[in-house]
Amino acid sequence: MDRAHLAALLSPYGVNQFESFRVVDSSKPNDYRLNIIVDRGYVVRINDPVITEERWEQLTVWPRVTAQSM
């Protein structure tokens, strides 16, 4: 994942700029887990190798903000 792709994914949540990010793949057989640490303060957790647009819009960030509610 590159910076531009991550910025596009986070922009609906009001995260338009960030300094750093790190991708941590802690997947195991039959257990997909991708964590993206943004500015050492936010974590994007992806637990399915396929994320559709519909699924992405259902995801929430604290405090209960969804892409659809913004």
Side-chain angles (χ1 to χ4, degrees):
M1 174 168 298
D2 63 21
R3 179 177 288 275
H5 189 215
L6 182 58
L9 293 175
L10 294 176
S11 66
Y13 299 97
V15 180
N16 297 311
Q17 295 183 9
F18 53 91
E19 291 185 25
S20 65
F21 72 97
R22 180 170 56 114
V23 178
V24 178
D25 186 348
S26 57
S27 299
K28 296 177 182 173
N30 299 319
D31 186 13
Y32 186 85
R33 293 180 185 263
L34 189 66
N35 298 298
I36 305 166
I37 303 166
V38 180
D39 285 346
R40 297 179 60 182
Y42 301 96
V43 177
V44 178
R45 290 191 173 118
I46 301 173
N47 295 327
D48 192 324
V50 177
I51 301 294
T52 63
E53 286 293 323
E54 180 182 16
R55 175 67 180 118
W56 186 261
E57 290 176 357
Q58 294 171 353
L59 299 178
T60 59
V61 294
W62 190 86
R64 296 276 187 213
V65 176
T66 66
Q68 293 173 333
S69 69
M70 299 202 64

